[in-house]
Amino acid sequence: MSIVAGVDFGTQSVRVSIVDSERGRLGSGLCAYPLHRRREDPDYAAQSHADHLASLEKAARQALQTAGIEGQRVEALAIDTTGSTIVPVDDRLQPLDDYYLWCDHRSWREAAQITEAARRVNLPALEWCGGNYSSEFALSKLLHWLRNNPHRRSQMATAVEHCDLMTAVLCGINEPSQLPRSVCAMGHKWMWNASLGGLPSEEFLSSVDPLFTGLRDRLGGRFDRSNAIAGHLSPEWASRLGMRNGIPLPVGALDAHWDAVGAGIGLGDIVNVIGTSTCVMAITGTTTLIPGVFGVVEGSIHPGYTGIEAGLSAAGDLFDAIARRAGVPLEQLSKSIEGYRTGQTGLLRMAWDNGDRCVLSNPHLGGMTLGWNLQHTAADELFAAIEGTALHTRNILARLAEYGVPIRRVINAGGIPRRSSVLNQVYANILNVPILVPKDDTTSLGSAIFAFLAAGAFKTVEEAQEALCPEYITVEPAPPGVRIGNELYELFLKLYNAFGREQSAAVQVGEVLPALRRLSHEALHQERVD
């Protein structure tokens, strides 16, 4: 028997879980922290390092208390975080500013500039991140910070991904040369690639902007996969967390990647981690570059395979925004759609309210709803938004399948699928596959699995998954919903490409609104139609 702690830093809170290798989760602690937004700048999203540290300490103490164990029994600890969430630091790894959160899109100009420069020289690394560099990625965020903080530039020794900084802090590492760098984060968000010699060349980086001169040398450290040990818990943080000094910490990773591991991902699986945004995760035994995805990285998600990440820039955030505008709690609004059927609203929702992550990688897009009439309600829009995220996910899965990614099972993980049977049925109908939903919460279970590997309690990821991952509830597609979902998808594709591409060709859209009205009528009278 072994006991570890798994830490998951999400967009709005940190969760610490105490997990037993035989009994599973013993207890957990959750502590929220502020997300700083600016009404006058919707692209702004930042958080405080100090808030994260204080919340981690509270959540860890709460987890130990609810688990009913002494902290001295914890044998290892592992950390995952949102990403790309970055912060510039000084020569002692002290933050010089707040975090640029993953959903901060202020650097869209910088992202476009990096993409243009990479295409100009046919930079191979660009193809490994889907052919476009995004404002959700690290180098664009860092360039934006350098351009807008001239008074702090000279203090910056390096810049750090959140998961790497938190691991370094807990291990007492304060030398940039000793910084553990996650292959998962660096590969998906920084254009780091072992087969290409690491980061892009100094020549390329300095050609993007002279402010990047010398950056490649400053982004040093120890680059490793998550089956490697990053360090050991320092005396200071052992005291603050109530745990034992010297326990091992593996190299960290991005939260959705380890969430996929906790949900039981294997070869041939797609895991949709549906939370604030949606991350679509897959692992493969071969490496194929896929245009329009958020990265193909050897050793990410599972250290023994190639990890693929795609997704949507808004899911839960979109649902929250609809409820907030309606002045109704989301939980209450969600109950009002429990009897809805696929297509019944007559609305078609493009879930671009925070831009398009995949497959267009375009942060300039905005949400769009077609088919409104005078009787539509906020509940109708919420249901249409759920359909919109499912339609968008189907488009992503089609891209993965086009490039040879096998799709054996589809698993819906994250907090929203556990709370929303409506969402899972919509996804089953629109994707036309059974949807597997873990019976128990898997948040921070992935980080616990890598903590167990660091402690030596399990030899492989698969062994740990077999022991710890929950069973699934299976949601089967409903034939009437599948037929209507297929028609909705054809309408969606036409509009997705027409409105999503700046240089799109003219398309005939005159049938869209009549078709939505017809599908609504059929959905509401399915007993007679099917």
Side-chain angles (χ1 to χ4, degrees), residues 179-183 186-187 190 192 198-199 219-225 228 251:
L179 182 69
R181 299 268 191 185
S182 165
V183 163
M186 298 301 291
W190 296 73
W192 183 91
L199 293 161
L219 294 177
R222 298 178 287 123
F223 292 75
D224 258 316
R225 303 181 184 193
V251 173

Side-chain angles (χ1 to χ4, degrees), residues 15 40 57 114 140 159 181 189 281 309 359 384 399 406 439 478-479 489 502 510 512-513:
R15 174 174 293 189
E40 70 276 12
E57 192 170 349
I114 292 171
S140 56
R181 299 268 191 185
K189 313 301 182 183
M281 319 301 301
E309 178 190 348
V359 294
R399 176 62 59 89
K439 287 184 177 180
Y489 183 62
E502 191 170 342
V512 172
L513 294 179

Side-chain angles (χ1 to χ4, degrees), residues 128-194:
W128 289 76
C129 57
N132 285 287
Y133 202 75
S134 168
S135 56
E136 291 189 28
F137 290 171
L139 291 174
S140 56
K141 295 177 188 292
L142 178 57
L143 183 55
H144 182 274
W145 185 86
L146 289 168
R147 286 174 171 174
N148 288 276
N149 292 274
H151 58 294
R152 297 181 183 175
R153 289 177 198 152
S154 62
Q155 301 173 55
M156 190 192 89
T158 188
V160 191
E161 193 70 37
H162 186 201
C163 63
D164 296 331
L165 179 60
M166 295 306 298
T167 300
V169 167
L170 265 61
C171 292
I173 296 170
N174 53 27
E175 292 288 341
S177 63
Q178 298 302 309
L179 182 69
R181 299 268 191 185
S182 165
V183 163
C184 172
M186 298 301 291
H188 283 277
K189 313 301 182 183
W190 296 73
M191 289 203 289
W192 183 91
N193 188 298

